[in-house]
Amino acid sequence: MKGQSRARNKKRNRLQIWLRRIALSVLGLIIGISIYLINAGTFMRDPLPMPFGIGAANVLSDSMEPVFSRGTLLIVKKEENLKEGDIVVYQSGKNLIVHRIVRLDGNQVVTQGDANNVPDEPFDRKMIKGVAVGKVPYAGTVVGILKTPPGIILLLAAAFFLTEHSLQQERMQDEQELEEIRKEIQRLKQERKNQGD
């Protein structure tokens, strides 16, 4: 019975260790990406870094309703072959705009938000960062928060708490197992003593 209990505890401990490792890996990845995005925006002056031709953009306005709502995270892919109807992310000054292409004229592009009444001013196609190929509703709000220093501090605090809590539970379980082993040794000693009498 006690052997089964110990086996269950070991199995549970191993599961907790793996869950902690996975959670810490995910948190580390999120923190790394957040720091990379902050540095890219601050030092490289690139509001949408696209390593491997893929990036993520946050929808900050309602101009693309009902297709994209404010706070949606867009997956953006570099694309050379643009066509009318593509939803693109382009850089206008320091800002990123998410609008649909309504006209292509050589190197000149005209876009318009689906919820807007008038098209944007024409601009050069090299200002286009990429085409929206996917979306994650509400994730843009979370990413926006995580890109701020308080967001990174919150993530670090969560990682610390997760690690500390998990280690505390592990220590308690180890102490419990040691106590059970001590009791078993004590019982065996007593049993042996009783047999000797």
Side-chain angles (χ1 to χ4, degrees):
M1 192 80 167
K2 288 184 179 178
Q4 287 178 344
S5 175
R6 276 193 210 118
R8 267 199 309 271
N9 281 343
K10 281 185 181 180
K11 193 173 181 181
R12 193 173 11 166
N13 281 349
R14 271 186 258 137
L15 179 65
Q16 285 180 344
I17 288 168
W18 278 106
L19 287 174
R20 185 175 69 235
R21 286 177 182 168
I22 290 167
L24 288 173
S25 296
V26 169
L27 279 172
L29 183 66
I30 291 170
I31 291 168
I33 290 170
S34 296
I35 291 170
Y36 172 75
L37 292 174
I38 288 169
N39 287 335
T42 305
F43 301 116
M44 297 174 357
R45 303 279 188 245
D46 187 356
L48 182 58
M50 296 185 64
F52 313 112
I54 302 285
N58 191 355
V59 177
L60 298 175
S61 76
D62 297 321
S63 67
M64 283 303 291
E65 286 280 2
V67 178
F68 300 132
S69 300
R70 185 189 307 247
T72 299
L73 184 72
L74 298 180
I75 308 303
V76 182
K77 183 180 176 211
K78 280 193 180 185
E79 181 63 62
E80 297 299 319
N81 301 317
L82 299 170
K83 58 189 182 305
E84 288 183 13
D86 283 345
I87 298 174
V88 295
V89 177
Y90 69 93
Q91 190 167 346
S92 176
K94 292 182 181 178
N95 300 321
L96 293 174
I97 312 288
V98 179
H99 282 170
R100 190 181 302 276
I101 294 176
V102 292
R103 193 171 72 243
L104 286 167
D105 186 16
N107 282 338
Q108 291 292 299
V109 180
V110 177
T111 59
Q112 182 175 340
D114 289 358
N116 293 351
N117 295 326
V118 293
D120 305 325
E121 290 292 318
F123 59 89
D124 195 291
R125 77 186 300 143
K126 66 182 172 194
M127 291 170 64
I128 294 176
K129 304 292 274 177
V131 176
V133 293
K135 67 177 181 174
V136 184
Y138 311 112
T141 304
V142 175
V143 169
I145 292 167
L146 296 180
K147 283 170 63 175
T148 64
I152 290 174
I153 291 168
L154 184 67
L155 273 177
L156 289 171
F160 175 77
F161 174 77
L162 182 68
T163 304
E164 189 58 35
H165 177 69
S166 183
L167 289 173
Q168 186 88 19
Q169 279 187 324
E170 235 176 271
R171 279 193 292 266
M172 285 171 55
Q173 286 173 351
D174 288 347
E175 285 171 17
Q176 220 173 6
E177 281 182 28
L178 273 172
E179 189 58 35
E180 284 177 19
I181 291 168
R182 282 190 200 112
K183 284 179 182 176
E184 185 68 18
I185 290 170
Q186 198 65 32
R187 187 186 67 76
L188 290 170
K189 279 183 181 178
Q190 188 65 40
E191 204 174 274
R192 196 167 181 187
K193 186 179 175 189
N194 290 344
Q195 287 174 352
D197 288 345

